Amino acid sequence: MKSSRQWLVYTAIRVGIFALALAVLLVIGVTGWIAAIVAAVIGLCVSYIFFRPQRDAVAKSIVEIRAAKDRDADNELENEMLDRLEGNGSRQA
């Protein structure tokens, strides 16, 4: 499975669990902001316990992206120069 598809599937699962938990909590009459916090915790716990393969696949794709060969010295040098320029501009302002 492509990494972008893995990201989409895992994100859809997490958002779906959150939305379902939020809807249930709101239907039973829990205050909105409390329902949102509880739904976020429920979504985190459920995805952590039951969706390990999807989470591992997303984590693996992050490692692969960070270790990609196309991250050459020129890109790193350019990023470093941009960081320096942005850092100097914010100090003068």
Side-chain angles (χ1 to χ4, degrees):
M1 187 183 300
K2 293 178 67 175
S3 67
S4 61
R5 180 162 164 74
Q6 293 167 345
W7 281 75
L8 285 172
V9 168
Y10 187 63
T11 302
I13 289 170
R14 295 279 311 262
V15 170
I17 293 168
F18 172 79
L20 180 64
L22 182 64
V24 169
L25 290 169
L26 289 174
V27 166
I28 63 173
V30 178
T31 306
W33 65 274
I34 294 174
I37 292 171
V38 172
V41 171
I42 290 170
L44 174 72
C45 292
V46 169
S47 66
Y48 187 78
I49 294 169
F50 296 108
F51 297 106
R52 180 177 181 198
Q54 291 83 1
R55 188 180 68 247
D56 288 345
V58 170
K60 183 179 176 186
S61 73
I62 291 171
V63 169
E64 289 171 356
I65 289 169
R66 293 196 46 91
K69 299 293 183 197
D70 62 349
R71 294 186 61 163
D72 58 8
D74 289 338
N75 287 342
E76 296 299 327
L77 180 62
E78 182 180 322
N79 290 340
E80 182 180 324
M81 293 300 292
L82 288 172
D83 289 341
R84 286 184 185 170
L85 288 174
E86 288 174 357
N88 290 337
S90 65
R91 290 183 191 155
Q92 294 174 355

